[in-house]
Amino acid sequence: PNYSNRSILMNFLVEGALIVNVRMQMTEPPKAPTVAFIPKNPFVKIMLASFMDEESSDIVFNVGGDEAKDNAKRKAENLPAIFYAHRFILKRCASQLEELCGSGGKDTPVLINDVRPDVFRHMLHYIYGGGLAGSDLKANAKEIIDAADKYGVSSLKLEAEASLVNATIISVENMMDHLLYADSKNCAHLKEAVMDFIVENKVNILQKVSFKDVPGTMISDVLAAMARGEKKPGNDKGSDEDQLSIMRISDLRERVHQKGLDVDGSRETLIAALEEKPVDWSTHY
């Protein structure tokens, strides 16, 4: 053994104590803990497996095509089509579509003639937990909004609305068409985009566009857009009611969603939901 002499060690004492500095080094890296494989919740996969399952279905839709189309491919897509569905799924995810079915069953197909079969398929697939490709949303945005709005699939409607806003270049020539469409379908996000355009181009618009056909209820949307434009960055002073009145639609929808409420509706409807005030529905139709 390699021992050190006591006389030498005495020279290293600190106030009578010998301090030993020990350094240790591992010769092998530690083994990483085994990560357990946990499959994702299979619910969505199970739901999608039930999509168009004729055997387990209890509702049948006969969706008619649009024979006025000249394009051969479009004609083929829009031939009358049969769709199978489940009442309990529709009741939870598309209540207005389920109500349309009445008390009938598979022996009494539900006729739908106001939606193209390809659009109805997109909607039904979404109801069962599926997603839509961005290209499909972009190509059929208004048709999907119309169908989802009519049959109560609000989340799909908002997704198609967002796609429409992102793909639309608003101009002086088309702004009125977009504004009236947004108002008719309660597309608050699209309406907000048009209002922002109006505020940014108000002088040019006043010279070229007539507003005689615009509903008077839109004045609050115009004022909200103007107030947002005049608000200085970082200036968040004011009451909660003041902040809600100029808040972006996306932010209002997020707050309403956090309360567990339906996020589809006009600016006034969303604010009323947050303030827990009754809505005068006569001003929104």
Side-chain angles (χ1 to χ4, degrees), residues 136-194:
D136 289 329
L137 277 173
K138 183 177 179 180
N140 304 284
K142 280 194 172 183
E143 290 85 353
I144 292 174
I145 290 173
D146 293 345
D149 181 63
K150 180 172 182 176
Y151 296 115
V153 192
S154 59
S155 56
L156 175 59
K157 173 187 171 183
L158 301 189
E159 195 170 332
E161 180 193 17
S163 177
L164 178 62
V165 171
N166 291 336
T168 299
I169 299 177
I170 301 173
S171 66
V172 174
E173 290 72 26
N174 66 24
M175 52 155 279
M176 191 59 68
D177 290 337
H178 290 307
L179 186 59
L180 294 176
Y181 176 78
D183 188 65
S184 68
K185 299 298 179 181
N186 252 339
C187 292
H189 182 37
L190 176 59
K191 185 188 290 187
E192 181 179 78
V194 178

Side-chain angles (χ1 to χ4, degrees), residues 192 196 199 202 222-249 251-252 255 267:
E192 181 179 78
D196 288 342
V199 171
K202 50 184 175 292
V222 175
L223 293 175
M226 293 178 64
R228 280 195 305 272
E230 296 172 356
K231 183 180 178 182
K232 296 180 180 180
N235 183 12
D236 295 326
K237 296 180 179 180
S239 66
D240 290 341
E241 186 174 349
D242 292 337
Q243 294 299 321
L244 290 176
S245 65
I246 64 174
M247 190 174 289
R248 287 285 179 187
I249 290 297
D251 295 330
L252 288 173
R255 289 196 179 194
R267 168 179 292 277

Side-chain angles (χ1 to χ4, degrees), residues 82-139:
I82 298 296
F83 294 90
Y84 301 96
H86 303 78
R87 184 180 295 275
F88 79 97
I89 294 177
L90 298 182
K91 189 172 184 177
R92 297 293 185 271
C93 305
S95 58
Q96 294 175 41
L97 185 59
E98 189 271 336
E99 290 174 2
L100 182 66
C101 301
S103 59
K106 293 178 68 173
D107 297 333
T108 309
V110 179
L111 300 178
I112 294 181
N113 294 315
D114 56 355
V115 181
R116 296 202 320 259
D118 59 321
V119 171
F120 189 86
R121 183 181 183 88
H122 285 318
M123 182 176 70
L124 195 61
H125 185 254
Y126 185 92
I127 290 171
Y128 277 75
L132 271 72
S135 57
D136 289 329
L137 277 173
K138 183 177 179 180

